[in-house]
Amino acid sequence: CVRSSLYRRPFVESYEETPMLVAVLTYVGYGILTIFGYLRDFLRHWKIERCHIAREREEQKDFVPLYQDFENFYTRNLYMRIRDNWNRPVCSVPGPRMDLKQRVSHDYNWTFEYTDQVIRDVINLGSYNYLGFAENTGPCTDAVAKVTLQYGVGVASTRQEMGNLDKHEVLEELTASFLGVEAAMAFGMGFATNSMNIPALVGKGCLILSDELNHVSLVLGARLSGATIRVFKHNNMQNLEKLLREAIVHGQPRTHRPWKKILIVVEGIYSMEGSIVRLPEVIALKKRYRAYVYLDEAHSIGALGSRGRGVVDYFGLDPCDVDVMMGTFTKSFGAAGGYIAGKRLIEYLRTHSHSVVYATSMSPPVVEQIIASMKCIMGEDGTTVGQERIRQLAENTVYFRKRLREMGFTVYGNQDSPVIPMMLYMPSKIGAFGREMLKRNIGVVVVGFPATPIIESRVRFCISAAHTKHLLDKALSVISEVGDLLQLKYSRHRLQPSPMRPLDDSVYEDVVD
């Protein structure tokens, strides 16, 4: 818990250490899987067992390998065993409840066959539908249907050619107003917003200081830029300051000339850890050392702050203190695409960003979905629905996290983060948890190595404003049941149950009981 004049309210995050016995058993589990993997590869080499996965043909044996050996080994022998937990086809709106197409495998998850049956009314705890705008009824849907009839569904050109619609201009002006900055720019793909725009902002002779848990889109953008990259420990401001000092004192390698730019790259909410960036401290360091800040708000925009303006709003900071504000429309807005916002850089990106020059414009229905949902959040639709959804999300998040910890589960992250990782640790329990939950009509996302450290496999719950208390209680009851079945209640710091107070105006001012 950080007590500092930079924070208006307590900043609380928890990361309970992995119990030693659990860590040892997890390593043993991976070791056994690896041994059996090599044994199965030996059998495949002698054609005793068939291998279904993509690999080089026999006549290419003298070529340079096309696939990385270990990644291919991991996919063949570990991932395939629990592959049925991922890529499940959804055949309805991914709202608080959803329908899943049933599939079966007759060859141990190498291939799947779809049946005619549908698993209906599965409680959805995996979609990034933070504010509940992934829906097919209501004012937003009606507005989208009207725009679809007027504009069609495709633009068939880039923004610089014949693909710049009046709707795109409206969206960018509204986004800038929503964020409280000078200008904003919209892109058709959230991933490309990072990977294609970072190279336009920095290059050779520049330094990027990147949080070690940054999303792969940020990592790819940094690598494509040609800038020097240095990684600091997650949310560790002492480590970040140390790297800033060294960068200024020593300058560029060999020449020792000053860096052209120093760009600090962080995320608002880290989607695997459920943690929130220590943005007040990052901005303080940025001002002290005259660096720039690139903030990725993919998961925090709409999901944090009393007005849904993201992590800047959550901490009560001035948006102008963040040099580059990036976010996506894919989560809280129930649409697709991303944005870059800030001051004095948007016009530069309009001519230098590959996502603008070469990529097709955003689809008009998608643009209208963003406009309608954003106006709802801002209250410009004449209702208080947006504000009510923000408050409901905050209440659901605090309630769900607290109940999990009271049950004895190990939960990571910040108490206000709607991304809630619950630790599974052992590889065998990744698949078992996902399957047992689906048997009980709960859809969850389980995550393991290489997306997480090898001994920190987890299930990642994503809470939505569309979840009612009844749905959350039902899901929590099932999670507790499966947790007892699989012995997942590892926490040594179980909270004592206490009645939750109703959500009121102080939820963003005092959430620590």
Side-chain angles (χ1 to χ4, degrees):
C1 183
V2 176
R3 303 288 181 183
S4 169
S5 59
L6 294 173
Y7 295 86
R8 301 188 306 172
R9 47 196 299 276
F11 185 83
V12 182
E13 293 193 345
S14 60
Y15 298 94
E16 189 173 334
E17 188 177 355
T18 306
M20 179 61 71
L21 178 61
V22 175
V24 170
L25 291 175
T26 303
Y27 279 119
V28 169
Y30 276 107
I32 293 171
L33 284 170
T34 302
I35 291 169
F36 274 89
Y38 280 114
L39 175 61
R40 295 178 75 113
D41 276 355
F42 175 79
L43 296 176
R44 292 177 187 127
H45 177 74
W46 293 103
K47 306 295 189 294
I48 300 172
E49 181 178 331
R50 184 181 176 188
C51 184
H52 300 264
I53 201 166
R55 57 180 180 173
E56 289 84 358
R57 296 191 298 272
E58 184 65 28
E59 57 267 28
Q60 293 177 312
K61 63 181 180 180
D62 296 325
F63 284 41
V64 175
L66 183 61
Y67 307 109
Q68 292 188 30
D69 185 57
F70 179 74
E71 289 183 7
N72 213 16
F73 174 86
Y74 183 87
T75 303
R76 283 194 308 271
N77 299 299
L78 282 79
Y79 169 72
M80 280 296 168
R81 292 173 178 266
I82 53 175
R83 185 184 170 207
D84 56 298
N85 284 281
W86 293 283
N87 307 317
R88 291 171 178 154
V90 178
C91 50
S92 70
V93 175
R97 290 182 182 269
M98 60 184 176
D99 299 335
L100 297 179
K101 185 87 171 171
Q102 192 179 65
R103 61 183 183 178
V104 294
S105 177
H106 302 292
D107 53 6
Y108 304 100
N109 293 339
W110 289 104
T111 60
F112 291 100
E113 291 180 10
Y114 297 102
T115 68
D116 294 330
Q117 296 182 339
V118 173
I119 308 172
R120 300 197 180 277
D121 291 328
V122 177
I123 297 176
N124 181 5
L125 292 179
S127 295
Y128 305 134
N129 184 27
Y130 297 129
L131 293 181
F133 283 112
E135 52 194 358
N136 58 0
T137 58
C140 292
T141 305
D142 295 339
V144 169
K146 184 178 178 181
V147 166
T148 303
L149 293 174
Q150 181 181 353
Y151 288 86
V153 295
V155 181
S157 185
T158 66
R159 290 285 298 274
Q160 288 193 345
E161 295 171 330
M162 299 297 291
N164 190 33
L165 305 179
D166 57 346
K167 284 290 178 183
H168 293 132
E169 303 286 346
V170 171
L171 170 61
E172 291 177 345
E173 290 177 9
L174 185 65
T175 302
S177 174
F178 177 65
L179 297 171
V181 295
E182 290 181 3
M185 193 170 182
F187 304 89
M189 181 181 177
F191 189 98
T193 305
N194 278 329
S195 59
M196 292 290 98
N197 284 299
I198 292 177
L201 295 172
V202 292
K204 190 175 181 181
C206 299
L207 174 66
I208 294 176
L209 299 179
S210 177
D211 189 292
E212 66 178 343
L213 296 183
N214 276 344
H215 190 262
V216 66
S217 60
L218 293 168
V219 174
L220 178 61
R223 289 175 177 172
L224 290 174
S225 71
T228 301
I229 305 168
R230 289 176 186 163
V231 178
F232 63 92
K233 296 176 183 177
H234 175 56
N235 252 352
N236 189 318
M237 297 301 107
Q238 291 77 22
N239 188 220
L240 174 58
E241 183 169 18
K242 179 175 178 287
L243 292 178
L244 282 166
R245 281 179 179 167
E246 290 176 353
I248 291 171
V249 170
H250 300 294
Q252 298 183 41
R254 294 191 300 274
T255 65
H256 299 293
R257 292 176 180 172
W259 295 99
K260 294 178 181 177
K261 294 177 199 167
I262 299 177
L263 184 68
I264 303 169
V265 180
V266 292
E267 292 187 52
I269 293 178
Y270 291 84
S271 60
M272 282 297 171
E273 302 297 315
S275 63
I276 297 175
V277 64
R278 299 182 187 275
L279 191 59
E281 296 176 70
V282 172
I283 289 177
L285 289 175
K286 162 233 166 169
K287 290 180 177 179
R288 184 182 306 167
Y289 294 99
R290 297 184 182 181
Y292 295 93
V293 172
Y294 185 107
L295 174 64
D296 178 343
E297 292 218 76
H299 287 269
S300 55
I301 192 66
L304 283 181
S306 58
R307 300 174 302 160
R309 264 68 164 180
V311 70
V312 177
D313 182 27
Y314 175 78
F315 287 115
L317 302 171
D318 185 351
C320 294
D321 286 337
V322 180
D323 302 284
V324 186
M325 301 180 74
M326 177 272 170
T328 61
F329 300 122
T330 56
K331 301 170 179 69
S332 294
F333 303 95
Y339 66 81
I340 292 281
K343 52 185 180 181
R344 297 191 299 275
L345 80 155
I346 300 304
E347 292 306 317
Y348 174 82
L349 288 177
R350 289 193 194 280
T351 56
H352 289 78
S353 171
H354 290 298
S355 290
V356 179
V357 179
Y358 301 108
T360 304
S361 303
M362 293 177 71
S363 172
V366 173
V367 173
E368 184 59 27
Q369 168 66 23
I370 302 165
I371 292 172
S373 57
M374 192 176 290
K375 284 184 176 180
C376 182
I377 296 170
M378 298 171 73
E380 291 188 6
D381 61 343
T383 71
T384 59
V385 172
Q387 194 65 27
E388 289 166 5
R389 294 191 185 203
I390 293 168
R391 293 174 57 75
Q392 187 64 51
L393 175 63
E395 181 179 4
N396 288 351
T397 295
V398 173
Y399 176 73
F400 198 84
R401 274 185 175 275
K402 189 170 185 180
R403 285 293 309 278
L404 286 176
R405 294 185 66 195
E406 287 172 354
M407 291 177 196
F409 293 106
T410 301
V411 179
Y412 275 10
N414 192 285
Q415 62 183 1
D416 292 330
S417 168
V419 179
I420 305 176
M422 189 186 88
M423 306 310 293
L424 302 176
Y425 297 116
M426 300 181 195
S428 58
K429 296 185 180 182
I430 302 173
F433 187 84
R435 291 168 188 146
E436 291 297 325
M437 291 296 286
L438 188 59
K439 284 180 186 176
R440 295 160 175 79
N441 257 39
I442 311 285
V444 298
V445 174
V446 287
V447 191
F449 180 83
T452 68
I454 196 164
I455 64 166
E456 293 186 11
S457 300
R458 63 198 68 181
V459 54
R460 184 180 62 179
F461 302 114
C462 292
I463 303 304
S464 170
H467 288 133
T468 62
K469 189 173 185 295
H470 171 71
L471 282 181
L472 293 180
D473 284 338
K474 184 177 179 180
L476 286 163
S477 175
V478 171
I479 292 167
S480 181
E481 178 189 341
V482 176
D484 289 331
L485 177 66
L486 301 179
Q487 299 182 353
L488 295 173
K489 297 179 179 180
Y490 298 110
S491 180
R492 292 167 292 185
H493 307 293
R494 183 191 294 240
L495 289 181
Q496 293 301 314
S498 60
M500 278 295 298
R501 58 177 172 77
L503 192 69
D504 54 31
D505 292 336
S506 64
V507 70
Y508 277 101
E509 299 169 6
D510 179 21
V511 294
V512 181
D513 293 304

